[in-house]
Amino acid sequence: MDKLFTQHALERLASLLRNECRQLLLEDGLQPVQFEVLHYLSICNRYSDTPMAVTEYLGQTKGTVSQTLKVLEKKGLIEKVADTKDKRVSHMKLTINGRHLIEKVTPFPNLEIALTQLDQKQQANLSQSVVELLAALQFANGFRSFGQCRQCRHNIHLKGDQFLCGLTHESLRIDETTLICREHEL
């Protein structure tokens, strides 16, 4: 395997996806980093929707994330909600307009078109390989995995649609188990 070629191919893919993202967001006046925050908030759970979790997920500075959140709140795409147990903690929630924007631009149309060039087995293999590469890079850099709740060692399936987070000892709805969590551990 040519590692340098793989790196260049991944960089080119990332560049093409960022360019498509910029084009899709032009009419809404958003920057890619703002979209990244919106997208993250659309897929994370209630333990992971804080400004600190956004900062960790994106690998951005606290200042950049703080300014980005302010812009998104001003545009009416997110709202700040105080934690019910700890008033010092704020949760960032997508508004209806924020959800509509995410639904409008994802998945990126050109990526959808490109993926149709692959058969289902190739798509599944690609997805699996990308997820494995991401996990390896996160581990190598000492980053949190931000994995799916259902696949976490803390997730306890009680019975039927009943789940419990073994870390927080709180009940989880079945739809929450499909979201990503900053506390995820294998």
Side-chain angles (χ1 to χ4, degrees), residues 70-85:
K70 285 179 186 177
V71 168
L72 294 172
E73 194 172 11
K74 189 175 181 178
K75 288 182 174 277
L77 299 171
I78 63 171
E79 61 183 344
K80 191 183 296 187
V81 179
D83 189 275
T84 56
K85 296 176 184 165

PDB file of all heavy atoms in Angstrom, residues 70-85:
ATOM      1  N   LYS A  70     -22.194  31.620  18.681  1.00  0.00           N
ATOM      2  CA  LYS A  70     -22.899  32.913  18.740  1.00  0.00           C
ATOM      3  C   LYS A  70     -23.529  33.249  17.388  1.00  0.00           C
ATOM      4  O   LYS A  70     -24.670  33.710  17.324  1.00  0.00           O
ATOM      5  CB  LYS A  70     -21.944  34.031  19.168  1.00  0.00           C
ATOM      6  CG  LYS A  70     -21.618  34.013  20.636  1.00  0.00           C
ATOM      7  CD  LYS A  70     -20.641  35.125  20.989  1.00  0.00           C
ATOM      8  CE  LYS A  70     -20.216  35.008  22.444  1.00  0.00           C
ATOM      9  NZ  LYS A  70     -19.217  36.017  22.806  1.00  0.00           N
ATOM     10  N   VAL A  71     -22.787  33.033  16.312  1.00  0.00           N
ATOM     11  CA  VAL A  71     -23.304  33.308  14.966  1.00  0.00           C
ATOM     12  C   VAL A  71     -24.518  32.419  14.678  1.00  0.00           C
ATOM     13  O   VAL A  71     -25.540  32.891  14.185  1.00  0.00           O
ATOM     14  CB  VAL A  71     -22.207  33.101  13.890  1.00  0.00           C
ATOM     15  CG1 VAL A  71     -22.792  33.105  12.494  1.00  0.00           C
ATOM     16  CG2 VAL A  71     -21.123  34.166  14.019  1.00  0.00           C
ATOM     17  N   LEU A  72     -24.397  31.135  14.986  1.00  0.00           N
ATOM     18  CA  LEU A  72     -25.490  30.204  14.719  1.00  0.00           C
ATOM     19  C   LEU A  72     -26.724  30.526  15.565  1.00  0.00           C
ATOM     20  O   LEU A  72     -27.856  30.411  15.089  1.00  0.00           O
ATOM     21  CB  LEU A  72     -25.033  28.763  14.966  1.00  0.00           C
ATOM     22  CG  LEU A  72     -23.959  28.246  14.015  1.00  0.00           C
ATOM     23  CD1 LEU A  72     -23.453  26.893  14.463  1.00  0.00           C
ATOM     24  CD2 LEU A  72     -24.457  28.202  12.587  1.00  0.00           C
ATOM     25  N   GLU A  73     -26.500  30.966  16.786  1.00  0.00           N
ATOM     26  CA  GLU A  73     -27.622  31.352  17.649  1.00  0.00           C
ATOM     27  C   GLU A  73     -28.284  32.626  17.109  1.00  0.00           C
ATOM     28  O   GLU A  73     -29.516  32.712  17.044  1.00  0.00           O
ATOM     29  CB  GLU A  73     -27.119  31.567  19.078  1.00  0.00           C
ATOM     30  CG  GLU A  73     -28.219  31.635  20.101  1.00  0.00           C
ATOM     31  CD  GLU A  73     -27.695  31.655  21.527  1.00  0.00           C
ATOM     32  OE1 GLU A  73     -26.472  31.820  21.756  1.00  0.00           O
ATOM     33  OE2 GLU A  73     -28.531  31.518  22.435  1.00  0.00           O
ATOM     34  N   LYS A  74     -27.476  33.574  16.675  1.00  0.00           N
ATOM     35  CA  LYS A  74     -27.997  34.832  16.115  1.00  0.00           C
ATOM     36  C   LYS A  74     -28.804  34.573  14.836  1.00  0.00           C
ATOM     37  O   LYS A  74     -29.812  35.222  14.584  1.00  0.00           O
ATOM     38  CB  LYS A  74     -26.847  35.795  15.834  1.00  0.00           C
ATOM     39  CG  LYS A  74     -27.274  37.183  15.454  1.00  0.00           C
ATOM     40  CD  LYS A  74     -26.077  38.106  15.321  1.00  0.00           C
ATOM     41  CE  LYS A  74     -26.536  39.500  14.962  1.00  0.00           C
ATOM     42  NZ  LYS A  74     -25.413  40.437  14.864  1.00  0.00           N
ATOM     43  N   LYS A  75     -28.386  33.587  14.054  1.00  0.00           N
ATOM     44  CA  LYS A  75     -29.090  33.237  12.815  1.00  0.00           C
ATOM     45  C   LYS A  75     -30.330  32.376  13.080  1.00  0.00           C
ATOM     46  O   LYS A  75     -31.046  32.019  12.153  1.00  0.00           O
ATOM     47  CB  LYS A  75     -28.152  32.506  11.845  1.00  0.00           C
ATOM     48  CG  LYS A  75     -27.103  33.396  11.216  1.00  0.00           C
ATOM     49  CD  LYS A  75     -26.252  32.603  10.242  1.00  0.00           C
ATOM     50  CE  LYS A  75     -25.296  33.472   9.490  1.00  0.00           C
ATOM     51  NZ  LYS A  75     -25.895  34.132   8.335  1.00  0.00           N
ATOM     52  N   GLY A  76     -30.555  32.024  14.347  1.00  0.00           N
ATOM     53  CA  GLY A  76     -31.727  31.230  14.695  1.00  0.00           C
ATOM     54  C   GLY A  76     -31.621  29.764  14.319  1.00  0.00           C
ATOM     55  O   GLY A  76     -32.638  29.091  14.174  1.00  0.00           O
ATOM     56  N   LEU A  77     -30.397  29.244  14.205  1.00  0.00           N
ATOM     57  CA  LEU A  77     -30.193  27.855  13.822  1.00  0.00           C
ATOM     58  C   LEU A  77     -29.978  26.943  15.031  1.00  0.00           C
ATOM     59  O   LEU A  77     -30.177  25.737  14.945  1.00  0.00           O
ATOM     60  CB  LEU A  77     -29.026  27.733  12.849  1.00  0.00           C
ATOM     61  CG  LEU A  77     -29.223  28.500  11.531  1.00  0.00           C
ATOM     62  CD1 LEU A  77     -27.938  28.518  10.718  1.00  0.00           C
ATOM     63  CD2 LEU A  77     -30.369  27.909  10.734  1.00  0.00           C
ATOM     64  N   ILE A  78     -29.542  27.540  16.151  1.00  0.00           N
ATOM     65  CA  ILE A  78     -29.394  26.802  17.400  1.00  0.00           C
ATOM     66  C   ILE A  78     -29.929  27.659  18.541  1.00  0.00           C
ATOM     67  O   ILE A  78     -30.103  28.875  18.396  1.00  0.00           O
ATOM     68  CB  ILE A  78     -27.928  26.402  17.706  1.00  0.00           C
ATOM     69  CG1 ILE A  78     -27.051  27.643  17.903  1.00  0.00           C
ATOM     70  CG2 ILE A  78     -27.378  25.477  16.646  1.00  0.00           C
ATOM     71  CD1 ILE A  78     -25.649  27.324  18.430  1.00  0.00           C
ATOM     72  N   GLU A  79     -30.178  27.003  19.659  1.00  0.00           N
ATOM     73  CA  GLU A  79     -30.554  27.733  20.864  1.00  0.00           C
ATOM     74  C   GLU A  79     -29.794  27.151  22.041  1.00  0.00           C
ATOM     75  O   GLU A  79     -29.450  25.965  22.057  1.00  0.00           O
ATOM     76  CB  GLU A  79     -32.059  27.668  21.110  1.00  0.00           C
ATOM     77  CG  GLU A  79     -32.603  26.275  21.324  1.00  0.00           C
ATOM     78  CD  GLU A  79     -34.115  26.251  21.489  1.00  0.00           C
ATOM     79  OE1 GLU A  79     -34.718  27.293  21.733  1.00  0.00           O
ATOM     80  OE2 GLU A  79     -34.677  25.145  21.370  1.00  0.00           O
ATOM     81  N   LYS A  80     -29.514  28.007  23.012  1.00  0.00           N
ATOM     82  CA  LYS A  80     -28.814  27.595  24.214  1.00  0.00           C
ATOM     83  C   LYS A  80     -29.851  27.237  25.268  1.00  0.00           C
ATOM     84  O   LYS A  80     -30.779  28.006  25.519  1.00  0.00           O
ATOM     85  CB  LYS A  80     -27.937  28.747  24.712  1.00  0.00           C
ATOM     86  CG  LYS A  80     -26.965  28.376  25.786  1.00  0.00           C
ATOM     87  CD  LYS A  80     -26.182  29.564  26.292  1.00  0.00           C
ATOM     88  CE  LYS A  80     -25.317  30.139  25.191  1.00  0.00           C
ATOM     89  NZ  LYS A  80     -24.410  31.192  25.685  1.00  0.00           N
ATOM     90  N   VAL A  81     -29.687  26.067  25.884  1.00  0.00           N
ATOM     91  CA  VAL A  81     -30.615  25.591  26.905  1.00  0.00           C
ATOM     92  C   VAL A  81     -29.811  25.256  28.155  1.00  0.00           C
ATOM     93  O   VAL A  81     -28.846  24.487  28.089  1.00  0.00           O
ATOM     94  CB  VAL A  81     -31.376  24.335  26.415  1.00  0.00           C
ATOM     95  CG1 VAL A  81     -32.313  23.822  27.487  1.00  0.00           C
ATOM     96  CG2 VAL A  81     -32.124  24.628  25.118  1.00  0.00           C
ATOM     97  N   ALA A  82     -30.208  25.825  29.297  1.00  0.00           N
ATOM     98  CA  ALA A  82     -29.516  25.553  30.553  1.00  0.00           C
ATOM     99  C   ALA A  82     -29.774  24.115  30.984  1.00  0.00           C
ATOM    100  O   ALA A  82     -30.869  23.582  30.804  1.00  0.00           O
ATOM    101  CB  ALA A  82     -29.984  26.521  31.632  1.00  0.00           C
ATOM    102  N   ASP A  83     -28.743  23.489  31.549  1.00  0.00           N
ATOM    103  CA  ASP A  83     -28.875  22.133  32.070  1.00  0.00           C
ATOM    104  C   ASP A  83     -29.828  22.155  33.263  1.00  0.00           C
ATOM    105  O   ASP A  83     -29.791  23.078  34.084  1.00  0.00           O
ATOM    106  CB  ASP A  83     -27.497  21.625  32.507  1.00  0.00           C
ATOM    107  CG  ASP A  83     -27.506  20.160  32.852  1.00  0.00           C
ATOM    108  OD1 ASP A  83     -27.836  19.831  34.012  1.00  0.00           O
ATOM    109  OD2 ASP A  83     -27.202  19.353  31.977  1.00  0.00           O
ATOM    110  N   THR A  84     -30.684  21.164  33.366  1.00  0.00           N
ATOM    111  CA  THR A  84     -31.668  21.125  34.447  1.00  0.00           C
ATOM    112  C   THR A  84     -31.036  20.812  35.798  1.00  0.00           C
ATOM    113  O   THR A  84     -31.576  21.195  36.835  1.00  0.00           O
ATOM    114  CB  THR A  84     -32.779  20.088  34.157  1.00  0.00           C
ATOM    115  OG1 THR A  84     -32.165  18.815  33.936  1.00  0.00           O
ATOM    116  CG2 THR A  84     -33.591  20.489  32.949  1.00  0.00           C
ATOM    117  N   LYS A  85     -29.878  20.137  35.784  1.00  0.00           N
ATOM    118  CA  LYS A  85     -29.224  19.759  37.041  1.00  0.00           C
ATOM    119  C   LYS A  85     -28.096  20.706  37.438  1.00  0.00           C
ATOM    120  O   LYS A  85     -27.827  20.884  38.610  1.00  0.00           O
ATOM    121  CB  LYS A  85     -28.682  18.334  36.931  1.00  0.00           C
ATOM    122  CG  LYS A  85     -29.757  17.296  36.746  1.00  0.00           C
ATOM    123  CD  LYS A  85     -29.163  15.930  36.538  1.00  0.00           C
ATOM    124  CE  LYS A  85     -30.284  14.937  36.247  1.00  0.00           C
ATOM    125  NZ  LYS A  85     -29.789  13.699  35.697  1.00  0.00           N
TER     126      LYS A  85
END
